[in-house]
Structure formats: C-alpha cells, structure tokens
Amino acid sequence: MIVIPSSFSQLVDSVKDINLSTRQQQTIGVITAAAVVTSYSLYKLWNQGPNDGCPVVPYTNPLNGSSAEFRKNPREFIQTWTEKLGPVYRVHLFGRLYTVVSGRYVREVFLNNNFDFFTGINRRFNMPLMAGIPEGEIPQEEGRKVVVKYLTPQLKYFTARAVENLNIGLKEIMGDLNEPKELPHMYPLVQRMVARASASVFVGTKLAKDDELVSVFQNITTDIGSMIRTESWLEPFASLLHFRMWAIGRFSSKVRAIRSKMTKTIGAEVERRLEAAEQNPNGWDRPVDVLQDLIENVNIPRGSDLITTIVNYTIALIFASIHTTSENGTIVLYRILQNPELMDELLEEQKEVLQRNGIDPEGAAKDVFTFEIVKDLPKLDSIVRESMRLRNEFYELPHSNVGNKKVVLSNGTVIRPGEDVLINTWYNQQYDGWDEYKVENDDRSEFKPYRYINTGRPSTKVGDDYLVFGEGKHACPGRWFAIQEIKTIISLLLRDYKVRPSSDVIFPTTTATAMPFGTATIEKRQRA
C-alpha cells in the first residue's frame, strides 16, 4: 500500500503562497497522484543497486531509508559505517540509494566526465528551477564559462572596486559606531558586504548603488531556498519534488517580485548601454563588468530575449557565489572569535606586509588592500583554509552518472546511468584515520590555525583532503574571487574595529546548518 504523506492537502497547503486558481489546484491533484505512483514504482526499480558486492548500510524504512538515523548524529553515523564498510559503500538517504565514495576514490568521481554535480544537486534542490529559470536555459558549461572567461581573468582589475564595496557594506551595518555595538550574528554583516562587492563586479558600479537591487542579491538564495527546505516529506517522491520546485518558480509571488525588480533595474541599464554604444560607437566608455560581457556575448535561447537571458545568468551567478561566500566568511570569522588571540597576530601580519610594501595602513581601503597585499597574508590564508576544511559537512557534493554507460570504480563498484554518488566530505577532510596527509600526533578534527603555512597549499588549492570547492577540472572556478572577498572582509574588520565574542561560540554538529552561532561586540579601533 502506498501512503502519501499527510494526504493531498499537504501539497495544497505548501503552495498557498503561490496564489493558484481552483482549476490549477485540481490540475495539481491529478498530477500529484500520477507523480506519487510513478515515483514509487520507479523507486522500487531504481533503488535495487547493481550486484557488484558493494556493501549497503542496512535500513528498514523503505521510503526514507537511513535518513532519520543519519540526521540524528551524522558524524557518528559516518564514522561507524565507514569503519565497518570501508571507503565505498551504499546508503539509502533522502529517498534515494546513493553510492558513498571516500578516500582516494573521490578523484575517480571528480575526474570522470560521466559524473555531473549540477544534475546531482538539482534532483534534491533545483534553485534555478525555483527561480523561474527554465530547465536547460543555461547550459552547465555556459555557466562556468561566464566565470572562467569574464570574472577570473579580470580579478586583479576588479579588486579595487570589490574592496571599496566590501567597505561600503561594512559601514552600512556598523554605522557611526560611537558606542560599542553587539551583533547577534555575524552572517548578515558578511552577507551585506559580499552582496555589495559581488553586485559591483556582476552588474557594475552604478547598479551596485541601488540598495533594493543589492538586497535582492543578498537575500535571493535564502528567500527562495526557504520555500522548500522544510518539506523533507517530499524526498522519497522525486517527480513530486521536481513538480513542487517547478511550481515555486512558475507561480510564487515572491519569485515574481524578485524577477520583476531584477528585470526592471538590470533591463534599464542594458538598454542604456546599448543606446550609448549605438550613438557613439567610437568614443563610448565601455563598462568593465560581467554584465557588459553578457550583453556582447550571451547566446539567447529560442523564445527568450536579451534582458530575460541576462537576468537568468545573473541569478545563476548569485546562487553560485553570494550565499556560499558569505557562509564561508562567517565560518572563518567565528573560528577567529573562538580563538581571539589570533586577532592580534593577524593584525600584526597585516601591518608587517603593508610596511614591507610601502603602503600607508591609514589609507583608503581600496588602496591598502590591493590584490597583491591580500594574497600576501600567509597566516590569514592558513586560517581560512583550516576553517573551511572543518566546515560542518558530511555527505556532500552529489554527482549523477549522466552518461549512457555504467562507471566502474577501481575497487569494482558499479554506478549505472542515472545513479547517484555522494562524496564522504567529513571523512576526507576531518577523519583522523586519513593517511595521505597525516602527521604524527596530529588530530585532524582539531582546529590548528597555522596548519598550512609553508606547505604550498593555499586556501584556493583543491585536493582529496580539501573538497570545499570540489576537485579536478570541474572545481569551482570562482574560488579565487570568493577567497579574496573573505580575506578582505577579515582584514577590513581587523584594521578598523576591535571585535570580541560576547557569548560562547557554538559550531553545529547536525545537518541542519553549517553556520556557527554566537554574539559579538564591535567597537571602533583607535588608530594612531
């Protein structure tokens, strides 16, 4: 017997904010029934797993498998079953049977072109679809190309404007700060700074002054993501989950408002630029930003138009950058707050580097924290890498076999077309039994701020034991920009403010969030 969670009314309740008509609700009912039956039937076929000898974590719940046990204590779950079953095994989580890959086998996934991360992540959390971007509208390689061709090569050029806008975002949150100020959480501060800087690079310095647009950049990921995060009951029903995500993108009033603001603001700027270029083709001062590169080079899908296409690409850029960079920056800040003695050491490093390069530390932020200066802070860079290595991550980076042939790992494990892999991130990044980079008497679960000094492994260098940005040729192409923003945020705070924890700093141990918690008191630094 098939049991539909909380009946059809739960689906109707979940789309109340979408303002559906009665006819649309009736259509949802029919599609829902078909989707549930189809999903359950295909579930029984898909989740048998090949007979290749790969061990499976035992489970009794036919729909959710080991999801509840895993979420209760993910670290204990992973350590127990990795030690029992070895580096490659299968586990039934989130309504699917995944092959979990650990240790040296992870590179066989990252380096194999049959595996695709975007397909894997979109099965559970399709943010572009929820933002109203039609499937296939932005080919995966085209999305990467925007970063590889238009952002990373110009990173040095973009540094000054990014630093200036990071500082603007900082001042917006801090205000005059005539008295010490307590922040209940560091994330909104980091998020505002990153949104300002990213907007200046993505859509230009003019639009980066539009507070409403910057707020859209700042909040779009959490605003849209929150619409589905709590609906774990949908996990076993792939078709129904996909339909729910499509319905959010198609009917949600919140999504419509976001897209309307972006279309109106970015569209007006696109039209202004096109008109200026047409009227004065030889003397036009061409803007240097990702927006201009898109105007000149983007491929417009059939049935779409230039402005809609640019808005879709911009949304995809935001999803790939602002929240993740803000989250990682927040994690680094809380590690420093947890170890406040590091602040004086980092401030001293900053002063030494500035003096060595003949830069006045009292100068404007964009003149002080140049591309070269931010890169030349080895203690800070080590802290960034170490903090991000210890992120609250467990089974992450889902990949799907999108090829038409089975993939056989070197240990004999078979992943058939359409099947999914999870990377055992916790094991590779934190497990003390990981041998390749193990040092005697070294606890890899412990935070050691200067672990990576003089190792030739900066915070942007990926590896089997550092998977924050993936690995191989499909590793995150925007990681240099993200790391530069994070290191600049820390440097600006240390230079201009005294920051101290005003409560215990708590790092989570569950799957609910990677974000640490704790209040902090900030006051102006009196500089000579």
Side-chain angles (χ1 to χ4, degrees):
M1 177 180 179
I2 301 172
V3 179
I4 301 171
S6 301
S7 77
F8 291 127
S9 64
Q10 187 161 355
L11 175 68
V12 176
D13 290 341
S14 72
V15 295
K16 281 183 178 177
D17 72 311
I18 297 177
N19 302 320
L20 298 178
S21 67
T22 301
R23 183 178 296 275
Q24 287 170 326
Q25 290 185 19
Q26 291 171 349
T27 302
I28 284 177
V30 175
I31 295 175
T32 297
V36 171
V37 173
T38 301
S39 296
Y40 187 74
S41 300
L42 292 176
Y43 162 87
K44 293 177 71 176
L45 294 174
W46 290 343
N47 291 280
Q48 297 303 311
N51 185 20
D52 58 0
C54 183
V56 180
V57 175
Y59 61 92
T60 56
N61 187 322
L63 288 178
N64 286 313
S66 300
S67 297
E69 182 185 358
F70 167 69
R71 285 177 168 136
K72 182 178 180 181
N73 193 331
R75 179 169 298 193
E76 181 180 296
F77 183 93
I78 292 176
Q79 185 165 348
T80 296
W81 291 110
T82 304
E83 290 177 352
K84 284 184 177 181
L85 304 181
V88 181
Y89 53 93
R90 292 194 169 95
V91 61
H92 189 328
L93 293 175
F94 322 129
R96 302 183 71 83
L97 190 69
Y98 288 93
T99 301
V100 172
V101 180
S102 318
R104 62 183 176 85
Y105 296 101
V106 300
R107 68 187 69 171
E108 298 184 28
V109 175
F110 288 119
L111 300 179
N112 191 314
N113 289 330
N114 288 297
F115 287 114
D116 183 71
F117 166 72
F118 294 102
T119 301
I121 193 68
N122 285 345
R123 283 179 172 172
R124 289 188 56 214
F125 205 66
N126 194 327
M127 288 293 286
L129 190 63
M130 288 190 286
I133 302 175
E135 289 186 280
E137 186 91 351
I138 303 178
Q140 294 157 15
E141 287 307 311
E142 285 297 310
R144 287 181 59 87
K145 190 187 298 182
V146 170
V147 177
V148 172
K149 289 184 65 175
Y150 308 140
L151 175 59
T152 304
Q154 301 188 90
L155 188 57
K156 192 171 183 178
Y157 174 86
F158 287 142
T159 296
R161 78 169 63 165
V163 173
E164 184 175 18
N165 281 275
L166 285 170
N167 201 41
I168 290 171
L170 175 61
K171 303 299 182 186
E172 285 179 325
I173 300 296
M174 292 303 169
D176 294 335
L177 207 65
N178 294 322
E179 299 291 335
K181 182 176 185 177
E182 184 172 84
L183 296 182
H185 201 279
M186 302 301 291
Y187 178 74
L189 168 65
V190 179
Q191 187 188 34
R192 187 65 176 183
M193 295 173 73
V194 172
R196 279 282 183 205
S198 299
S200 73
V201 172
F202 294 167
V203 295
T205 54
K206 180 177 179 287
L207 293 189
K209 297 175 183 178
D210 186 313
D211 289 342
E212 287 187 28
L213 184 64
V214 171
S215 292
V216 169
F217 276 46
Q218 178 178 342
N219 298 312
I220 182 174
T221 303
T222 50
D223 282 350
I224 294 179
S226 64
M227 293 189 220
I228 204 165
R229 283 188 186 278
T230 59
E231 298 179 6
S232 59
W233 65 274
L234 283 170
E235 287 178 344
F237 308 103
S239 298
L240 184 55
L241 179 61
H242 185 272
F243 174 76
R244 168 63 176 146
M245 291 186 287
W246 172 84
I248 289 172
R250 181 69 177 82
F251 300 114
S252 169
S253 57
K254 184 179 290 186
V255 172
R256 285 200 300 269
I258 289 169
R259 293 190 63 92
S260 176
K261 171 61 183 176
M262 294 185 70
T263 300
K264 179 180 178 181
T265 308
I266 295 175
E269 178 65 7
V270 170
E271 291 173 354
R272 184 189 71 79
R273 294 185 184 191
L274 290 173
E275 183 179 352
E278 183 179 356
Q279 291 180 352
N280 193 11
N282 297 321
W284 181 53
D285 185 14
R286 179 190 182 276
V288 181
D289 48 43
V290 175
L291 175 59
Q292 188 60 35
D293 287 315
L294 288 174
I295 291 172
E296 296 171 1
N297 300 289
V298 74
N299 293 317
I300 303 173
R302 180 178 297 180
S304 189
D305 58 78
L306 177 62
I307 292 173
T308 300
T309 302
I310 287 175
V311 167
N312 287 341
Y313 270 83
T314 304
I315 290 173
L317 275 174
I318 293 169
F319 285 157
S321 60
I322 292 180
H323 173 70
T324 53
T325 301
S326 301
E327 186 176 74
N328 282 324
T330 302
I331 288 169
V332 176
L333 265 179
Y334 273 109
R335 283 295 178 189
I336 294 173
L337 283 169
Q338 192 182 47
N339 300 271
E341 70 280 359
L342 296 175
M343 296 183 199
D344 288 339
E345 296 177 36
L346 291 177
L347 186 60
E348 186 61 32
E349 177 185 58
Q350 183 184 124
K351 289 178 179 177
E352 289 176 0
V353 172
L354 293 174
Q355 289 173 358
R356 188 166 65 244
N357 287 272
I359 295 178
D360 179 8
E362 306 297 321
K366 65 182 180 64
D367 299 323
V368 172
F369 299 110
T370 64
F371 178 86
E372 291 78 11
I373 292 299
V374 174
K375 190 175 181 181
D376 188 22
L377 298 168
K379 288 185 177 180
L380 176 57
D381 191 80
S382 178
I383 289 172
V384 169
R385 183 181 177 100
E386 178 73 344
S387 299
M388 290 167 63
R389 180 185 71 82
L390 290 171
R391 274 179 58 97
N392 191 48
E393 292 185 324
F394 303 101
Y395 294 135
E396 305 289 342
L397 302 171
H399 282 67
S400 295
N401 180 359
V402 296
N404 56 14
K405 296 181 179 179
K406 64 184 180 181
V407 174
V408 182
L409 301 183
S410 60
N411 72 337
T413 299
V414 176
I415 297 99
R416 298 176 299 192
E419 293 184 337
D420 301 296
V421 166
L422 285 173
I423 303 299
N424 194 344
T425 306
W426 176 82
Y427 178 89
N428 274 45
Q429 294 189 160
Q430 298 189 37
Y431 183 55
D432 199 33
W434 176 236
D435 294 327
E436 186 168 346
Y437 297 110
K438 187 171 178 62
V439 178
E440 189 175 357
N441 299 322
D442 182 27
D443 183 357
R444 289 185 54 76
S445 66
E446 179 184 348
F447 175 70
K448 291 191 174 183
Y450 303 138
R451 184 188 296 272
Y452 295 106
I453 289 181
N454 298 323
T455 64
R457 295 158 70 200
S459 52
T460 54
K461 185 176 179 62
V462 298
D464 289 355
D465 69 331
Y466 182 65
L467 300 170
V468 176
F469 299 111
E471 193 174 14
K473 71 176 184 178
H474 295 298
C476 175
R479 61 188 183 275
W480 290 275
F481 182 52
I483 291 296
Q484 185 184 60
E485 285 187 301
I486 292 170
K487 289 161 70 173
T488 304
I489 288 168
I490 305 297
S491 299
L492 283 168
L493 274 172
L494 291 177
R495 184 187 78 150
D496 295 337
Y497 300 95
K498 291 182 179 180
V499 188
R500 64 180 185 275
S502 49
S503 72
D504 291 338
V505 174
I506 300 172
F507 281 83
T509 58
T510 69
T511 61
T513 180
M515 204 84 73
F517 299 92
T519 60
T521 299
I522 302 180
E523 60 182 298
K524 278 185 179 178
R525 186 180 293 279
Q526 300 301 319
R527 301 199 302 266

